[in-house]
Amino acid sequence: MENFMKNRGISKELSELLTNIDHTIKVKKNSFLFQQGEDASELYVILSGRIQIGKISPDGRELTLRICSKGDIVGELALYTDNIKYLLNAKVLEDSELAVIKKSQLEKRLMENNELAMEYMKYMGESFRRDQTKFRDLVLHGKKGALYSTLIRLSNSYGLKKQNGILIDIVLTNQELANFCGTSRESVNRLLNDLVRSDIISMEKSKIFIQDLQHLKNEINCENCPIVLCSID
């Protein structure tokens, strides 16, 4: 089968292993591919559509970690552990088709190839680090920093470079932005308005245009992490 995974620096051999699918499924918009607490026996590669990965806090707040699209792998990446549960939710943002990978088969193949097993561990570690940096920004920088960090990550994932800045080429509601920041829509509204008044950002047909990306980075003491760690997808 055609290799449909995104290239995140993994070898051709591991990519081919991760696309050795069991079967495919189709899921409808606004349904859940999986939810936190459910048994995790499969991984999924997105063939079409978009999946939102996030978590619901004990007080009911929704926190979005990333938006995955064609070529992304989603699911609980940990292997060789009994009774694994999904730690996050996977909400279907648009009708999607996914390739299903049985974790038991993946474990067997990795046991047969030490080099691929080590590479998979590195891939898994980078995925965990990506989520950890997102949580770090939320904890260290508060609501404002969380929004600034989200805008920087969106620019890395969906940014189109223009003469006077970067256009984030995806339409997100203020509530969806708030979910990325773990805060309220009203707080995001105020912060966005402040940025517009300061000429840091502007709006173009419901899309955010970042006029001064460096200002956002300076405000959160950006460490210029590799894009693989500082992205939304």
Side-chain angles (χ1 to χ4, degrees):
M1 178 171 285
E2 178 185 356
N3 186 342
F4 41 73
M5 279 194 64
K6 286 183 180 177
N7 184 354
R8 296 189 182 277
I10 64 176
S11 68
K12 178 181 178 182
E13 290 77 12
L14 181 58
S15 181
E16 289 176 350
L17 177 58
L18 291 174
T19 54
N20 183 20
I21 66 173
D22 184 73
H23 61 280
T24 63
I25 59 172
K26 293 184 178 180
V27 287
K28 292 292 186 181
K29 179 179 178 179
N30 293 327
S31 64
F32 282 90
L33 176 63
F34 54 80
Q35 292 181 276
Q36 57 196 72
E38 295 179 348
D39 291 335
S41 60
E42 298 171 332
L43 294 171
Y44 305 89
V45 180
I46 302 174
L47 303 179
S48 64
R50 291 193 302 150
I51 306 290
Q52 173 184 292
I53 304 299
K55 192 173 184 66
I56 303 296
S57 67
D59 61 3
R61 287 185 300 160
E62 183 176 357
L63 173 62
T64 301
L65 291 176
R66 57 188 180 273
I67 296 174
C68 299
S69 57
K70 182 178 179 180
D72 282 321
I73 186 168
V74 296
E76 179 55 55
L77 295 177
L79 300 178
Y80 307 111
T81 303
D82 295 331
N83 302 316
I84 295 178
K85 306 290 185 181
Y86 288 114
L87 300 177
L88 303 170
N89 297 321
K91 184 177 181 180
V92 183
L93 297 182
E94 56 191 40
D95 291 352
S96 303
E97 183 177 7
L98 302 109
V100 181
I101 305 169
K102 291 291 186 183
K103 297 184 75 170
S104 58
Q105 293 299 315
L106 178 59
E107 289 173 345
K108 181 180 178 181
R109 292 288 302 278
L110 290 175
M111 285 286 287
E112 298 168 351
N113 190 316
N114 290 338
E115 289 186 6
L116 286 186
M118 291 296 292
E119 187 179 351
Y120 181 82
M121 290 176 62
K122 179 181 177 182
Y123 174 83
M124 184 173 66
E126 287 182 348
S127 178
F128 289 154
R129 285 180 63 198
R130 188 165 62 246
D131 288 345
Q132 287 172 347
T133 59
K134 179 67 182 291
F135 285 124
R136 177 201 64 192
D137 291 344
L138 291 175
V139 171
L140 293 181
H141 302 299
K143 297 176 183 178
K144 184 171 78 169
L147 175 61
Y148 290 9
S149 171
T150 297
L151 293 176
I152 293 168
R153 291 171 186 271
L154 285 168
S155 73
N156 287 334
S157 295
Y158 297 99
L160 296 179
K161 291 186 178 180
K162 303 290 185 179
Q163 184 175 0
N164 298 318
I166 299 175
L167 177 68
I168 297 177
D169 194 26
I170 183 174
V171 176
L172 294 171
T173 66
N174 285 3
Q175 183 59 63
E176 288 170 328
L177 278 175
N179 291 344
F180 275 112
C181 303
T183 188
S184 68
R185 179 176 57 83
E186 291 76 15
S187 294
V188 166
N189 288 345
R190 289 193 296 270
L191 291 168
L192 288 175
N193 287 334
D194 289 342
L195 290 173
V196 170
R197 283 193 293 268
S198 300
D199 294 326
I200 306 301
I201 69 168
S202 58
M203 303 300 297
E204 293 190 4
K205 298 180 179 178
S206 300
K207 295 179 180 179
I208 296 174
F209 184 81
I210 301 178
Q211 299 168 228
D212 191 348
L213 181 64
Q214 192 58 50
H215 173 84
L216 301 178
K217 291 184 174 184
N218 291 342
E219 286 293 302
I220 62 170
N221 298 314
C222 178
E223 299 174 357
N224 291 311
C225 298
I227 289 181
V228 68
L229 299 180
C230 187
S231 62
I232 290 296
D233 58 2

